[in-house]
Amino acid sequence: MAGGRCSSHHALKIFRVLLVLEIMTAVGLVPDDVVSLTGRFRLVLAQGSWEVLVQNAGISSMHTAVTHFGNVVLLDRTNIGPSQIPLNGGRCRANPADRVSQQDCTAHSAVFTPGSNSIRPLFIFTDTWCSSGQFIGDGTLVQTGGDSDGFSKIRTFAPCGDDGECDWVESTDTQLQNGRWYATNQLLPDGRQIVVGGRNVFTLEYVPANGQGAINLPLLTQTDDGVQYDNLYPYLHLLPNNQLFIFANRDSILYDWQTDTVVRSLPTIPGEPRNYPAAGSSVMLPLTSESGWTNPEILVCGGAPYGAYLNPAGELPASQTCGRIAPLAGAAVDWAMETMPMRRNMGDMVLLPTRDVLIVNGAGSGAQGWGNAQNPVQTPVLYHPQAAAGTRFQSLTASDIPRVYHSTANLLPDARILVAGSNTHEFYTLTGDLPTELRIEAFSPPYLAAGGAADRPRFIDAPASLAYAATFTVTVATAAANPTAMELNLASAAFVTHSFGQGQRLLKLGVSATTNVERNQYAVTSTAPPNAVVAPSSYYMLFAVDSVGVPSTATWVKIG
């Protein structure tokens, strides 16, 4: 069943069994462990559902990030002519460097509010095409680079609630040391961001620099052929030993950012190139307190064969493999390869509150680039990291909307996945095959089909901030059986662009006690992450996940 949908005949049989179990449960004839198993069967049988939230957002979001106010920053490039949403207040953008519209009165960024589904235009001046970003400790989104007049820019967005007027601020006195187009950012334990790579840029630097210059990174030179690249938007993951896992093309290293030292070169992943424009994706699998926050694992899925970018017809088939590696495993470190249910590149990988991975969006052939994508893959897949090899994939309900180049997927605080963007054309093209996509939709994973909102855990009380290693208690309402099996999981808010969630991480906290305080309400005692290496100081979504794998709506917590 983990590999796909069961037949309707077998599904009917299983649902009948579940119905009998639920009746027996109601009269007290079924023990708690069977109740828990029943709930998990319901989750596996469910396939998830889609909902279009906005028919026309006005812009096609190339870059998407969820703020700690729960609203969502949508960001496209500016150098494309008018969007479909006007700037408010009669504002216009007068930019002689713009190659299409030197006088532009439309927005190229906006704030979207789930729930009300409202959109407020934002003002961005320089070109953010294929730029990068990350939230910092106070919740500000720091955004770097782009193309043309945005090549060396540093921009900030300090978010606000729906009644605020927060907007982009572009620095006039600080810029990147090397202009960067197709780079990647990662928040570090010291509060700075490291910014790595870019097209024809083989260095890394820090924002703020604090007097430190750009540093050459040989991995970027070694993995660049000067023609197709395949090493842009490198994958960065901050490991719990304070080293960086950096992956480009098919190769990866462990990098000590404090001493500028390549600690180790790791084995080459089998198969195709995995970075832009071949366009796989990557996550660091959830870290857990049970392991002492050690033994991280990296998952890389999808990609395209060399030459896919150079063949604009999009005929070369995408990769069908994932590689999984434990980079700190000593001499035994190597890639374990797995086969996805279907070929996919340009897929977005999202860490879910349940510690599973959702793979969504993408194409079955071609590569990133204008018109290079063909055969959209509209069926999302769940990857269950804790399951046995060969049983980890579960195909879910397909979307009606193809999402290929320049599409995004972000975890929302209500545990849905916000899916936006898709533009495989140089400019907005609203007709023909794979038109510029202006709709925003939400995917509800199977865990939201377990019985409705009334059956989900719910925070009654939770702290707004946590010091490192601090013991804390939350109060959670839940009607699920076996409440002592509840999890408390922290999810960061990623900056998602080009099939990679920059800064994405998920942490399973240790639960030391669960006490019934009144009917269906429990005091759950836990311990915050130990340090800024495990959880760089920022805002995180705290989820309570019940014993059958159903998450609460998150509460935002400032860590550190």
Side-chain angles (χ1 to χ4, degrees):
M1 187 180 299
R5 305 171 190 246
C6 56
S7 72
S8 58
H9 175 71
H10 288 104
L12 182 59
K13 282 186 175 181
I14 295 172
F15 273 121
R16 286 172 176 166
V17 172
L18 294 180
L19 180 60
V20 171
L21 285 172
E22 287 175 354
I23 293 171
M24 294 173 67
T25 299
V27 296
L29 298 178
V30 178
D32 284 351
D33 57 346
V34 177
V35 174
S36 177
L37 182 63
T38 300
R40 292 192 181 276
F41 266 122
R42 291 179 64 88
L43 293 182
V44 171
L45 284 167
Q47 301 297 322
S49 61
W50 290 89
E51 179 186 5
V52 175
L53 305 180
V54 176
Q55 286 291 339
N56 187 344
I59 68 170
S60 184
S61 192
M62 180 188 300
H63 321 286
T64 308
V66 179
T67 82
H68 66 278
F69 286 90
N71 48 28
V72 185
V73 178
L74 311 175
L75 182 61
D76 199 6
R77 53 183 289 213
T78 62
N79 227 341
I80 51 174
S83 71
Q84 298 289 300
I85 182 172
L87 287 163
N88 55 21
R91 292 184 298 173
C92 293
R93 180 174 146 271
N95 186 353
D98 195 307
R99 66 184 182 129
V100 177
S101 299
Q102 288 76 37
Q103 184 75 9
D104 185 358
C105 301
T106 63
H108 300 280
S109 183
V111 168
F112 168 72
T113 301
S116 67
N117 294 335
S118 61
I119 295 177
R120 178 172 67 88
L122 300 176
F123 186 95
I124 194 85
F125 189 78
T126 58
D127 194 15
T128 49
W129 183 14
C130 301
S131 50
S132 56
Q134 179 90 84
F135 288 103
I136 57 173
D138 66 358
T140 296
L141 179 60
V142 177
Q143 214 271 329
T144 52
D147 189 34
S148 186
D149 60 345
F151 195 40
S152 299
K153 274 290 180 179
I154 299 175
R155 314 167 189 87
T156 57
F157 181 81
C160 58
D162 291 344
D163 56 350
E165 297 181 355
C166 48
D167 212 332
W168 286 102
V169 175
E170 304 196 33
S171 177
T172 58
D173 55 10
T174 306
Q175 64 179 21
L176 294 173
Q177 297 173 66
N178 295 150
R180 296 183 188 274
W181 193 26
Y182 304 95
T184 304
N185 296 20
Q186 170 64 54
L187 182 63
L188 295 172
D190 67 0
R192 296 185 297 167
Q193 293 186 42
I194 188 171
V195 188
V196 178
R199 189 168 180 174
N200 298 320
V201 179
F202 308 107
T203 64
L204 59 86
E205 63 179 280
Y206 298 89
V207 176
N210 294 347
Q212 189 169 3
I215 298 170
N216 185 59
L217 186 64
L219 173 70
L220 300 177
T221 306
Q222 296 160 5
T223 55
D224 176 39
D225 70 349
V227 179
Q228 182 165 298
Y229 307 104
D230 282 329
N231 70 346
L232 304 180
Y233 279 121
Y235 304 143
L236 265 65
H237 300 291
L238 176 66
L239 303 179
N241 69 343
N242 208 11
Q243 294 173 2
L244 286 168
F245 174 90
I246 306 178
F247 182 104
N249 199 322
R250 296 175 58 215
D251 292 319
S252 52
I253 59 172
L254 298 180
Y255 181 76
D256 187 331
W257 61 274
Q258 294 178 293
T259 62
D260 178 31
T261 303
V262 175
V263 177
R264 184 177 187 182
S265 295
L266 298 169
T268 298
I269 191 172
E272 303 82 359
R274 307 285 178 164
N275 293 84
Y276 181 95
S281 189
S282 176
V283 292
M284 180 171 66
L285 295 177
L287 300 175
T288 69
S289 63
E290 299 155 333
S291 69
W293 307 109
T294 59
N295 303 321
E297 290 188 86
I298 307 299
L299 182 68
V300 176
C301 290
Y306 184 84
Y309 177 72
L310 304 176
N311 174 18
E315 296 173 351
L316 295 182
S319 171
Q320 198 170 350
T321 62
C322 293
R324 181 166 165 173
I325 193 170
L328 304 183
V333 62
D334 203 356
W335 292 94
M337 302 305 294
E338 301 179 80
T339 302
M340 296 187 288
M342 68 283 292
R343 296 183 179 274
R344 190 189 305 256
N345 59 28
M346 291 176 272
D348 288 283
M349 297 171 69
V350 183
L351 293 171
L352 300 180
T354 54
R355 296 184 286 130
D356 293 328
V357 182
L358 180 73
I359 310 174
V360 65
N361 302 330
S365 62
Q368 290 179 321
W370 309 134
N372 284 2
Q374 299 294 327
N375 302 313
V377 180
Q378 293 168 237
T379 300
V381 167
L382 266 185
Y383 178 84
H384 302 282
Q386 309 305 315
T391 67
R392 291 175 176 151
F393 292 100
Q394 177 188 352
S395 296
L396 304 177
T397 301
S399 170
D400 293 332
I401 302 174
R403 306 262 184 188
V404 287
Y405 188 35
H406 289 151
S407 57
T408 60
N410 295 70
L411 177 66
L412 291 173
D414 64 9
R416 294 180 300 169
I417 309 303
L418 187 81
V419 181
S422 185
N423 188 11
T424 190
H425 310 282
E426 186 172 5
F427 305 108
Y428 279 19
T429 303
L430 304 179
T431 60
D433 293 336
L434 299 177
T436 302
E437 186 54 67
L438 301 176
R439 287 172 289 184
I440 295 176
E441 59 187 333
F443 179 65
S444 295
Y447 51 60
L448 295 181
D455 288 343
R456 297 179 65 181
R458 177 171 54 89
F459 283 106
I460 303 297
D461 178 65
S465 61
L466 290 172
Y468 289 118
T471 299
F472 69 97
T473 299
V474 297
T475 304
V476 180
T478 179
N482 194 15
T484 58
M486 188 181 304
E487 294 182 6
L488 294 179
N489 297 334
L490 287 169
S492 67
F495 178 87
V496 177
T497 188
H498 290 76
S499 306
F500 183 61
Q502 300 184 18
Q504 183 174 206
R505 64 203 296 115
L506 194 135
L507 311 171
K508 182 192 177 194
L509 303 178
V511 173
S512 56
T514 302
T515 305
N516 188 199
V517 293
E518 60 177 89
R519 178 177 173 80
N520 293 338
Q521 291 190 17
Y522 299 86
V524 184
T525 301
S526 183
T527 304
N531 51 51
V533 176
V534 171
S537 180
S538 190
Y539 284 88
Y540 292 76
M541 291 175 272
L542 176 64
F543 290 93
V545 183
D546 71 18
S547 57
V548 295
V550 178
S552 67
T553 290
T555 183
W556 287 95
V557 181
K558 173 70 164 60
I559 304 294

